[in-house]
Amino acid sequence: YVYDLNTPKQALFSLTDAVEGKKPIIPLAPSRDMWSGHKLFITKESQVHCNPDYKDTPFRYINGTDTIPFGQYVINLDIERVLRMNFLQMSIEYDADLEMLVCNAGYFPYVALYKKTGNSFELMTEVKGEIDYKMSDGWVEFSRKGFSRCKLTKNYLVTLDYDYDKGEQPAHARDNKTRPHTLFVRDHNGNLLRIFQLDEPTLSLTGCGKDNILYAIIAPQDPDRDESASEYELVRIDLGEAMGK
């Protein structure tokens, strides 16, 4: 299920049809209540919604006929709806094996883990970086961007980011060679365990709660690289083995 955060467009993307060479996009009727919000399916009967119009808590767990608010805003959002929109410009993902919801803010360094407990979610872990902002022309400018990517595995919470302690800074241009390549590995309680430097700029991460295998899409920068080679590569990282070294 995919949707546009800023317009009411939504659709289904069929992985089976994509693999079989068929048209994978199945358009759905526009939904006005999706504007500037998220909807994440937990099961066929339940979803998690977040929307900047939710003033008390950022999330709603909708299970059948029950609607349960949960979560908390990390910054004071009372005065400006645009500030709540910035907070909700995040990626949210649910891992059924771990029964955890992970929320990674895009505009400032913040990750929250919520554990599914009964018919709701309880805040389990928060990872915060420097969160400082100012209002400018009706918009919000944060002093530090959010983590580039965030992924849960069986035992770890992994974030991809720049290593500010080593002087790395995020680039403003969409230039692959300036992408981050530092992995910060924490336990599910947010305790930092290890920092790994990948050899190449990294665009994306994926993994799941069944094991500690992490996959990354990298952009190799070797000047002697064959021009006919792919611009990107997929690498497999065994975090369990790496953490033991």
Side-chain angles (χ1 to χ4, degrees):
Y1 173 73
V2 294
Y3 58 88
D4 189 320
L5 189 63
N6 298 301
T7 70
K9 297 177 181 179
Q10 53 183 346
L12 296 177
F13 186 91
S14 171
L15 294 179
T16 300
D17 287 348
V19 170
E20 294 178 354
K22 302 176 183 177
K23 185 177 180 180
I25 300 296
I26 304 171
L28 301 175
S31 175
R32 299 291 300 186
D33 63 2
M34 284 298 299
W35 281 43
S36 299
H38 293 276
K39 180 163 65 175
L40 174 70
F41 286 92
I42 303 298
T43 68
K44 289 183 179 180
E45 296 78 24
S46 62
Q47 309 97 38
V48 170
H49 294 209
C50 61
N51 191 287
D53 291 326
Y54 297 158
K55 296 182 179 181
D56 50 351
T57 60
F59 303 107
R60 300 287 187 272
Y61 176 49
I62 300 175
N63 188 9
T65 59
D66 297 328
T67 299
I68 300 96
F70 72 94
Q72 62 187 43
Y73 289 108
V74 68
I75 50 180
N76 182 6
L77 302 171
D78 292 338
I79 57 173
E80 295 285 350
R81 183 178 186 270
V82 67
L83 210 51
R84 294 196 299 276
M85 289 180 67
N86 273 264
F87 181 88
L88 294 174
Q89 293 268 2
M90 62 171 63
S91 61
I92 59 174
E93 186 174 344
Y94 178 72
D95 191 288
D97 295 294
L98 298 171
E99 293 190 311
M100 290 182 188
L101 182 76
V102 58
C103 313
N104 178 29
Y107 281 94
F108 53 90
Y110 176 76
V111 172
L113 292 184
Y114 291 88
K115 179 70 173 178
K116 189 175 184 302
T117 305
N119 201 30
S120 187
F121 288 82
E122 294 184 1
L123 181 63
M124 176 180 173
T125 300
E126 287 182 309
V127 176
K128 302 178 187 179
E130 177 184 322
I131 302 176
D132 186 26
Y133 63 90
K134 64 180 180 179
M135 299 297 297
S136 175
D137 297 326
W139 196 244
V140 186
E141 293 182 0
F142 290 90
S143 62
R144 184 171 291 187
K145 292 290 186 180
F147 303 115
S148 296
R149 292 292 185 271
C150 176
K151 186 56 60 176
L152 276 176
T153 69
K154 183 177 181 180
N155 298 111
Y156 306 113
L157 168 65
V158 185
T159 54
L160 170 67
D161 199 15
Y162 297 92
D163 193 338
Y164 292 93
D165 291 338
K166 291 188 175 181
E168 295 180 0
Q169 293 291 330
H172 298 289
R174 294 179 179 271
D175 186 349
N176 283 339
K177 66 176 178 291
T178 65
R179 300 276 185 157
H181 50 84
T182 305
L183 297 181
F184 297 82
V185 183
R186 296 174 170 87
D187 60 23
H188 290 167
N189 292 317
N191 301 306
L192 182 62
L193 304 176
R194 294 282 296 275
I195 299 176
F196 293 104
Q197 290 285 337
L198 300 182
D199 293 333
E200 304 287 358
T202 304
L203 284 73
S204 188
L205 300 176
T206 192
C208 68
K210 291 182 178 180
D211 52 39
N212 288 312
I213 302 300
L214 194 69
Y215 296 91
I217 296 177
I218 63 172
Q221 300 298 305
D222 185 352
D224 298 325
R225 185 176 173 82
D226 189 332
E227 293 184 357
S228 64
S230 172
E231 185 177 357
Y232 307 105
E233 291 183 359
L234 179 67
V235 298
R236 180 182 184 273
I237 304 168
D238 188 332
L239 280 179
E241 179 179 344
M243 294 294 287
K245 294 183 179 180

